[in-house]
Amino acid sequence: MSTPTDEQVHAVDAFRAGHHLALQAGAGTGKTTTLEMLAASTERRGRYVAFNKDIASHAATRFPRTVTCRTAHATAYAALGHRYAGRLNGPRQPAWKTGQALGITRPVRIGDHEISHRTLSNTALRAVKRFCYSADRALSRHHVPRLRRLATPAEHTQLADAVFPFAVKAWADLQNPDHGVVHFEHDHYLKMWALTQPKIEADFLFLDEAQDTNPVLEQVFHAQRDHAQLVMVGDSAQAIYGWRGARDVMTAFDDATALTLTRSFRFGPLLAEQANRWLELAEAPIRLTGSETMPTEVGDIADPDAVLCRTNIGAMAEVMRLLSEGRRVALARGGHTLAALAMAARDLKEGRRTSHPELVLFASWGEVQDYAAYDPAGGDLQPFVDLVDTHGPEAILSAVHELLDEEHADVTVSTAHKAKGREWPKVKIGNDFPPPKDTDEHDAQGRPIPEPVNDSDARLAYVAVTRARQQLDLGGLSWIDTWFTMSGGGAEVPEDDPSAPSPGRH
């Protein structure tokens, strides 16, 4: 991109004029290059804030020396977190031991369920984590997470009443920089730093991946607006982490000048057409134009470089299928999550309770099977149950051990969530992206009209299809052609209510 696009020139002009900016940058549209242009257009001193250390380190090699490139955690560590360095390196221990040290020694009866001291301990520590992600100034009962199978509000209130005092003890324990019983994590000092209402000394701030900002960082960033020019850059259509507390802060940045980057340098016009379908369904503020110099084919691929799935369980099923074909397989970010689920299933099948947070209230594997098959809230567990029942926990664990690193593999399997920010020459979409269900209404030919595409599913599909550079196999998303025909396309998409992910999600 030796010659700036009109959109990039416009962004530089708006930045030099001193406006706060919300820069919507579609997939592959050169957002980092554009930020370089902004930084190079001024002699003022700035900060670039990224979520990932590797991204921040890479940015440091590209930005002028007037811009400091760090993660939010690195910024907080330099200001406050270094005081807790000794605790950060402390030994890990099971959550139940931490809970025991905090005073959790007995189970609690809620409805038909006995909540063990292990589960109470896990839940108390998770409440602290949720508080650390939030913009709240004090820990409260609403930070206590819900447990699967405690279905009623009254049951959750009982859980919160039982857990909250120990969560308060845990947070108080973390304030001691020298010693304590709770394992100290990076999110703890980030929250402590945010609570000091810090002032970041800079003339301007760049916030990357702003669509996935946790409220704790959003609060800190916005608090700098009186003394620094703020630039948020991201892609609202890639806001796919709402289930873990992240918010798309770009669309709420009311006093910023809204700008766009829409020409993708990653792929060609055919793939841009596919991306725009999902952008329409997600009611995104941009549409993409592909690069004529990067022709991308859309069709069947026999040997993809990557297979992208919707769920962890779908990824595991894909791994096992590819291994059975003799392929050398890598799984993005390893198989730790899947191994933990398989071990939890093995414990239940062998008559032991498990401490896995998603399965902790089940006494046996049969209970999990019944819950997945018959409980309306348990449908998302069915693919996991099917995988275990078909292959068995040991086969799943063996498959995890057969995985290679990506450099030595023929194909990488990933969830679309974990593929965010990455790209491959040839991408195939896994078959665990289900089409919307049919409604009771019918068209003129008597065919059932499908439901609207869920907003969060549309965003995830957009992320998945835009990972390809040269070839895209729609695979499990091929139903989109029929959906547009049957629904008329462009139907109003309802707002989704984000909820915590299940074992089969993300």
Side-chain angles (χ1 to χ4, degrees):
M1 292 191 297
S2 56
T3 303
T5 66
D6 291 343
E7 290 176 321
Q8 290 171 327
V9 171
H10 189 190
V12 171
D13 290 342
F15 178 71
R16 286 172 61 86
H19 302 302
H20 296 315
L21 303 181
L23 184 59
Q24 290 280 356
T29 56
K31 66 173 182 176
T32 304
T33 300
T34 304
L35 291 179
E36 286 180 67
M37 293 177 182
L38 302 190
S41 72
T42 181
E43 295 182 358
R44 295 177 298 156
R45 305 195 68 82
R47 295 280 192 105
Y48 168 87
V49 181
F51 295 95
N52 179 286
K53 183 179 180 180
D54 291 337
I55 293 174
S57 298
H58 180 65
T61 67
R62 300 180 58 173
F63 282 93
R65 292 184 179 181
T66 52
V67 178
T68 301
C69 301
R70 284 181 173 174
T71 63
H73 285 89
T75 304
Y77 184 85
L80 182 148
H82 64 277
R83 303 175 196 170
Y84 297 85
R87 289 195 64 174
L88 275 169
N89 298 321
R92 292 183 178 274
Q93 66 176 353
W96 68 267
K97 284 190 175 181
T98 301
Q100 194 172 54
L102 293 170
I104 303 175
T105 57
R106 292 179 297 177
V108 172
R109 190 78 186 177
I110 298 178
D112 296 330
H113 304 286
E114 182 176 275
I115 314 301
S116 71
H117 68 285
R118 292 173 181 258
T119 301
L120 293 171
S121 301
N122 282 328
T123 306
L125 296 179
R126 288 172 62 202
V128 172
K129 182 178 287 290
R130 293 184 71 195
F131 168 59
C132 288
Y133 287 158
S134 77
D136 299 330
R137 297 201 59 79
L139 186 65
S140 70
R141 282 172 171 76
H142 79 262
H143 295 116
V144 176
R146 296 185 178 275
L147 289 182
R148 189 183 286 275
R149 303 196 85 188
L150 291 186
T152 69
E155 289 175 331
H156 178 68
T157 297
Q158 284 184 262
L159 176 70
D161 288 343
V163 165
F164 178 66
F166 298 106
V168 171
K169 281 188 178 182
W171 182 242
D173 175 274
L174 290 165
Q175 306 309 305
N176 190 320
D178 300 317
H179 56 80
V181 299
V182 181
H183 182 71
F184 198 94
E185 299 177 4
H186 294 280
D187 285 333
H188 295 145
Y189 68 73
L190 179 67
K191 180 63 175 180
M192 293 175 188
W193 172 69
L195 289 172
T196 68
Q197 298 180 297
K199 179 180 179 180
I200 300 175
E201 297 294 345
D203 298 317
F204 62 86
L205 293 176
F206 293 160
L207 179 63
D208 202 356
E209 298 292 335
Q211 78 281 349
D212 284 325
T213 300
N214 280 334
V216 61
L217 182 56
E218 175 192 359
Q219 182 185 55
V220 172
F221 186 78
H222 276 297
Q224 314 306 312
R225 68 172 67 210
D226 291 338
H227 72 274
Q229 183 182 7
L230 305 184
V231 178
M232 289 185 173
V233 61
D235 184 352
S236 291
Q238 294 191 51
I240 57 176
Y241 288 108
W243 50 269
R244 72 176 188 195
R247 284 164 28 95
D248 174 18
V249 300
M250 296 188 66
T251 54
F253 196 2
D254 296 333
D255 57 347
T257 299
L259 300 174
T260 60
L261 297 177
T262 59
R263 180 186 172 192
S264 180
F265 298 89
R266 180 181 299 162
F267 45 73
L270 287 179
L271 200 146
E273 290 179 14
Q274 295 294 330
N276 287 338
R277 285 178 155 187
W278 301 106
L279 289 170
E280 177 185 349
L281 294 173
E283 296 187 334
I286 61 172
R287 300 292 183 268
L288 298 182
T289 301
S291 175
E292 296 290 348
T293 60
M294 293 284 293
T296 306
E297 299 176 5
V298 179
D300 294 341
I301 302 175
D303 56 341
D305 299 300
V307 179
L308 306 185
C309 302
R310 177 175 174 267
T311 65
N312 280 319
I313 302 308
M316 188 71 252
E318 188 66 29
V319 163
M320 299 189 75
R321 183 186 70 80
L322 290 166
L323 288 173
S324 70
E325 295 177 357
R327 306 289 294 278
R328 295 179 300 174
V329 183
L331 183 64
R333 301 189 195 173
H336 306 299
T337 301
L338 300 172
L341 283 166
M343 288 187 284
R346 181 176 63 186
D347 286 344
L348 290 171
K349 288 175 76 71
E350 294 178 355
R352 298 187 298 272
R353 300 294 289 252
T354 176
S355 60
H356 195 288
E358 284 290 342
L359 303 178
V360 70
L361 293 186
F362 295 94
S364 68
W365 183 245
E367 283 191 9
V368 179
Q369 291 172 313
D370 289 344
Y371 179 79
Y374 304 115
D375 194 302
D380 59 312
L381 273 178
Q382 193 62 57
F384 172 56
V385 171
D386 292 342
L387 191 69
V388 172
D389 288 344
T390 300
H391 300 283
E394 296 302 332
I396 296 172
L397 291 169
S398 296
V400 170
H401 290 310
E402 287 187 52
L403 296 171
L404 302 174
D405 58 57
E406 293 191 37
E407 288 184 5
H408 299 95
D410 301 321
V411 57
T412 296
V413 176
S414 176
T415 63
H417 280 86
K418 292 172 184 174
K420 192 164 171 284
R422 302 189 61 185
E423 57 186 63
W424 291 268
K426 296 181 290 184
V427 171
K428 181 174 182 177
I429 306 301
N431 60 9
D432 64 336
F433 287 83
K437 297 178 181 178
D438 290 335
T439 67
D440 294 332
E441 299 180 14
H442 295 76
D443 64 11
Q445 286 74 42
R447 298 172 299 184
I449 297 174
E451 293 179 352
V453 174
N454 180 282
D455 177 64
S456 59
D457 287 343
R459 293 196 301 269
L460 193 62
Y462 164 69
V463 170
V465 301
T466 55
R467 300 309 96 195
R469 291 198 305 267
Q470 299 172 7
Q471 290 180 270
L472 171 68
D473 186 337
L474 281 172
L477 288 173
S478 296
W479 51 262
I480 190 61
D481 294 328
T482 302
W483 184 90
F484 263 96
T485 300
M486 298 300 296
S487 69
E492 183 177 351
V493 182
E495 288 295 320
D496 184 40
D497 180 16
S499 58
S502 71
R505 295 294 297 262
H506 325 314

